[in-house]
Amino acid sequence: MALRLRLLAWSGAALLIAGSQAVLGHAAASLAPDGWTAHEITLMKTLHISALADKEPDPSNAYEARQDAAALGKKLFFDQRLSANGRISCASCHSPEQQFQDGRPLGIGIATGKRRTMPVAESGRGAWQFWDGRKDSLWSQALGPMEDAAEHGGNRVAYARVILEHYRRDYEAVFQALPASEGWPLAGGPNGTVAERAAWENLTPLQRQEVSRVFANMGKAIAAYENTLHFAPSRLDNYIGAVTGLPSAAPGVLSSSEKRGLRLFMGKAQCISCHAGPLFTDQHFHNTGVPPRLGSRPDPGRSAAIDTLLRDEFNCLGPYSDARRDQCTELAFLAANDPHMVGAFKTPGLRNAAQRAPYMHAGQMATLEDVVRHYASAPQAVIGRNERQPVQLSASEVSDLASFIHTLDSAIEERAPGTRFPGAFKDR
Amino acid sequence: MFSAKRILIAAASLGLAACAMTALPDRLDLRTTRATADGQFQVSIHPLVQVVPVNRIHAWEIEIKTPAGTPITGATIGFDGGMPQHMHGYPTQPRITAELGNGRYRLDGVKFSMTGWWEMKLQIRAGERSDQITFNTIVTEPAKG
């Protein structure tokens, strides 16, 4: 009985597939002059920018879609007073002129960091932030560098003082009345110098909570600003639009090499397995055998971030989150002991990647060709296990894949909360 | 219940996925109702959503019976699995969050981070009986954001 049903199922499936290919094949014949198969057309549609769904709300940040919060967040993002030396802002590494990153192998703030600066546009769509996912929201992420000695190098009492002095009206219009700073030291925080930590301990629990609340709200405002940063349509979007009939901002043309690269990307080279969807990322962590920057001290990546994440007072379950407990599903079902996470790092999105050399989590590779050759050879990992298998790619195929990545270049646009696409896409 | 329609859908999904990325092994068993490895239990599994999403946490229902068809209540169910072809596990740690009665259990926290072949492994213990089973699922929905 079971066998007969299975056979029936298979013949039915074959009919279904043949039917869908016939229809798509017909559409492709009239719309796709470059010989794309029905299946390739289906995959291309998943990469088009209009496939970007509405961002799922972050229940831990009740202010993330507010215009006034975004306006305040933008000011904070560029404010160099929010640093130990008065010369570092978020924009120092996340430079708007460079797709909100810095083009360096390792970020440089007060000192040199351990990893590559990540870009900002659409970054709120992943469940986890940073290369190792040690933060579970955009607002909580924004707070990390501020108290990191190598980055902004400051402390939350000093930051709260900046808000009291320079942003009182903006802050109170979005959040609540600011606390009184009576009894606060000039500097203090739980992650600072010995003196700053001592000063922090001298505050009452209520004072510490009030300062931390202001600090958390700074992150929520910065996240609201970051949520306004979006990718404009790229040449690839326009090309896919032209080929598949999806909305298009302009006529799309790709070179022969770029088209060959796109075909490899979706097929033989299997890039699309992880670099999936309109942002070209599965938002997850993978060990791809990238050589550590320091071979003697390999970076354990995701596996070392779990404890940090769970202990974080600014996570979804913490006292500064706006979420109900049952809304923190990512933490509730956190994979805390997955052996595959040793040496694993987040899949970066590829929009504008051609403009973001050097590559990998510590800028280990100088060019896109280096990256493609690395994935093709799939070397043994120094720490953990490389999940990729080798793929044979010729020199011209490597070059085609690298040139394809250039078709993902586009401007970063700031759009008011709730506006996802430019005018050309509004009718969809 | 052993549904021919469900198999049709699963098999059709397999066909589409097979021409996509990594080739799937031959004769992948996609049945959603099967006996456990040592025949101790009869297990059915199905998602509690219309379309299985990529990158979003959702729940499945597991139904456990004796080989004779009697519902098994009070079972302890462990969950494991991942993508054998990519050598990674689930991005989440799914677990049973509720017993729904009549041998049915809610498996919550399931998240597929990419399309392709996923294994869903259940370790089931009920009284003196203990057995395990691996279901195969092909996830085909395009990734969103």
Side-chain angles (χ1 to χ4, degrees), chain A residues 206-225:
Chain A
L206 179 64
Q207 285 174 315
R208 290 200 289 264
Q209 201 181 69
E210 286 175 339
V211 170
S212 294
R213 170 76 57 192
V214 175
F215 187 46
N217 286 339
M218 291 169 67
K220 290 177 186 179
I222 291 170
Y225 165 60

Side-chain angles (χ1 to χ4, degrees), chain A residues 262-333:
Chain A
L262 170 57
R263 184 165 277 126
L264 288 163
F265 187 91
M266 299 188 295
K268 179 183 170 186
Q270 296 170 27
C271 312
I272 201 172
S273 295
C274 294
H275 292 289
L279 296 177
F280 295 78
T281 170
D282 63 356
Q283 307 282 7
H284 193 40
F285 308 91
H286 300 274
N287 184 330
T288 55
V290 177
R293 189 161 191 88
L294 288 171
S296 57
R297 278 193 299 157
D299 189 335
R302 176 64 169 164
S303 60
I306 304 294
D307 281 348
T308 313
L309 173 65
L310 291 173
R311 281 199 319 266
D312 188 359
E313 65 186 311
F314 299 117
N315 71 22
C316 183
L317 291 167
Y320 307 102
S321 162
D322 300 319
R324 295 190 318 267
R325 233 187 138 70
D326 66 338
Q327 291 177 305
C328 301
T329 51
E330 291 287 351
L331 285 180
F333 297 103

Side-chain angles (χ1 to χ4, degrees), chain A residues 103-335:
Chain A
R104 301 174 189 274
L106 302 173
I108 299 180
I110 298 291
T112 302
K114 293 185 187 121
R115 297 205 183 116
R116 175 87 173 85
T117 300
M118 301 185 88
V120 172
E122 305 290 0
S123 57
R125 289 169 174 274
W128 312 112
Q129 300 294 325
F130 287 124
W131 283 104
D132 59 7
R134 66 186 180 276
K135 290 285 191 174
D136 67 347
S137 70
L138 208 48
W139 68 270
S140 183
Q141 184 282 329
L143 303 177
M146 297 234 247
E147 287 193 322
D148 185 312
E151 301 187 52
H152 297 239
N155 59 85
R156 64 187 72 172
V157 170
Y159 296 148
R161 285 184 170 281
V162 171
I163 299 296
L164 263 70
E165 193 172 337
H166 302 284
Y167 293 102
R168 178 174 290 277
R169 193 189 308 165
D170 290 349
Y171 178 99
E172 292 186 341
V174 179
F175 303 105
Q176 56 276 87
L178 279 162
S181 59
E182 262 171 56
W184 291 6
L186 286 176
N191 302 310
T193 62
V194 174
E196 286 163 2
R197 291 203 302 272
W200 181 249
E201 287 304 316
N202 280 337
L203 290 172
T204 66
L206 179 64
Q207 285 174 315
R208 290 200 289 264
Q209 201 181 69
E210 286 175 339
V211 170
S212 294
R213 170 76 57 192
V214 175
F215 187 46
N217 286 339
M218 291 169 67
K220 290 177 186 179
I222 291 170
Y225 165 60
E226 292 176 329
N227 280 339
T228 68
L229 301 173
H230 303 275
F231 295 104
S234 66
R235 266 196 309 130
L236 180 72
D237 295 311
N238 292 334
Y239 176 77
I240 293 176
V243 169
T244 67
L246 288 171
S248 189
V253 179
L254 299 192
S255 73
S256 305
S257 170
E258 289 164 346
K259 281 181 270 197
R260 286 195 301 270
L262 170 57
R263 184 165 277 126
L264 288 163
F265 187 91
M266 299 188 295
K268 179 183 170 186
Q270 296 170 27
C271 312
I272 201 172
S273 295
C274 294
H275 292 289
L279 296 177
F280 295 78
T281 170
D282 63 356
Q283 307 282 7
H284 193 40
F285 308 91
H286 300 274
N287 184 330
T288 55
V290 177
R293 189 161 191 88
L294 288 171
S296 57
R297 278 193 299 157
D299 189 335
R302 176 64 169 164
S303 60
I306 304 294
D307 281 348
T308 313
L309 173 65
L310 291 173
R311 281 199 319 266
D312 188 359
E313 65 186 311
F314 299 117
N315 71 22
C316 183
L317 291 167
Y320 307 102
S321 162
D322 300 319
R324 295 190 318 267
R325 233 187 138 70
D326 66 338
Q327 291 177 305
C328 301
T329 51
E330 291 287 351
L331 285 180
F333 297 103
L334 180 71

Side-chain angles (χ1 to χ4, degrees), chain B residues 64-114:
Chain B
I64 307 174
K65 295 175 179 171
T66 64
T70 310
I72 298 229
T73 55
T76 306
I77 305 169
F79 181 88
D80 195 3
M83 297 192 89
Q85 292 171 311
H86 294 276
M87 293 195 286
H88 64 70
Y90 282 79
T92 51
Q93 178 55 65
R95 66 171 184 275
I96 302 296
T97 55
E99 187 168 349
L100 305 169
N102 264 341
R104 296 175 305 119
Y105 301 82
R106 182 185 169 91
L107 173 71
D108 212 339
V110 178
K111 182 164 148 181
F112 301 108
S113 47
M114 57 170 85

Side-chain angles (χ1 to χ4, degrees), chain B residues 1-17:
Chain B
M1 206 177 100
F2 195 63
S3 152
K5 188 181 159 204
R6 185 166 291 150
I7 295 171
L8 255 178
I9 294 164
S13 306
L14 169 64
L16 285 172

Side-chain angles (χ1 to χ4, degrees), chain A residues 15-68:
Chain A
L15 276 175
L16 273 178
I17 293 162
S20 65
Q21 275 180 340
V23 173
L24 285 170
H26 176 72
S30 57
L31 288 171
D34 293 322
W36 298 105
T37 65
H39 181 64
E40 285 170 333
I41 295 273
T42 304
L43 287 179
M44 282 157 74
K45 286 181 175 176
T46 69
L47 300 175
H48 192 255
I49 195 152
S50 68
L52 206 54
D54 283 325
K55 179 185 165 303
E56 301 228 357
D58 171 7
S60 72
N61 182 359
Y63 310 90
E64 68 160 350
R66 278 178 52 168
Q67 180 80 61
D68 53 359

